[in-house]
Amino acid sequence: MDESTPWRNLGVIGLRFVDLVLRYAITFVVTLAAVEASLPADMRSMEGWPGLFVLIGVPSILISFAYGLASTRAGAAFRGRLAGLLFLPLWFLPFLGIPLIPVMGQLFLALCVMRVPLLGPPQLRRQGRVALTAVVRGISRSSP
């Protein structure tokens, strides 16, 4: 393989994805504990949280990773836009009567926990964006 191909650093990109998933999982567990502590004793139930992780956590991880690969920004500009994007998976929470503590968890992830920039040096970020574009193009070509 040529040195300039984005697949050369695919291992680093994979490790950063695992790092993001672990950081998000820890943030989600802390948020879950805060929500459970804020609810009255008769409303506490851990049964629905795996479903909420699928509805909130998985899209949040994918949004964070895709934005981290695609963004050329760093610092507060990156974190502010990511915080806005992480509100998208939370649109249904007011309808379920869940307190807005998960919103604070998403903000905490975006503003404090997420690695910025996601991939580090500009060359690796550029290769990450090329890899993301190649995956999206491959998916769009394979769909009918």
Side-chain angles (χ1 to χ4, degrees):
M1 268 192 185
D2 183 23
E3 249 182 49
S4 63
T5 61
W7 309 110
R8 181 174 66 93
N9 292 318
L10 198 56
V12 173
I13 294 170
L15 287 174
R16 296 294 167 88
F17 181 73
V18 169
D19 178 61
L20 172 63
V21 169
L22 290 174
R23 288 172 189 248
Y24 189 85
I26 291 169
T27 304
F28 189 82
V29 168
V30 169
T31 303
L32 169 67
V35 169
E36 289 293 317
S38 70
L39 293 174
D42 60 336
M43 291 182 65
R44 292 182 186 167
S45 172
M46 299 292 280
E47 294 173 6
W49 286 104
L52 281 179
F53 183 79
V54 171
L55 291 173
I56 296 172
V58 172
S60 296
I61 291 169
L62 294 176
I63 288 169
S64 300
F65 191 66
Y67 181 69
L69 288 178
S71 178
T72 58
R73 302 180 185 280
F78 177 89
R79 291 184 183 282
R81 286 178 173 82
L82 179 63
L85 287 171
L86 289 180
F87 286 140
L88 294 174
L90 302 175
W91 67 269
F92 63 91
L93 288 181
F95 300 111
L96 296 178
I98 296 175
L100 293 178
I101 294 173
V103 172
M104 291 185 289
Q106 297 284 74
L107 284 174
F108 182 72
L109 175 78
L111 300 176
C112 302
V113 177
M114 175 97 176
R115 179 189 297 264
V116 175
L118 182 65
L119 293 177
Q123 179 185 7
L124 185 57
R125 287 196 308 263
R126 187 171 41 259
Q127 291 173 355
R129 287 191 300 274
V130 171
L132 178 66
T133 303
V135 168
V136 169
R137 284 183 182 165
I139 290 171
S140 65
R141 287 182 184 165
S142 66
S143 62

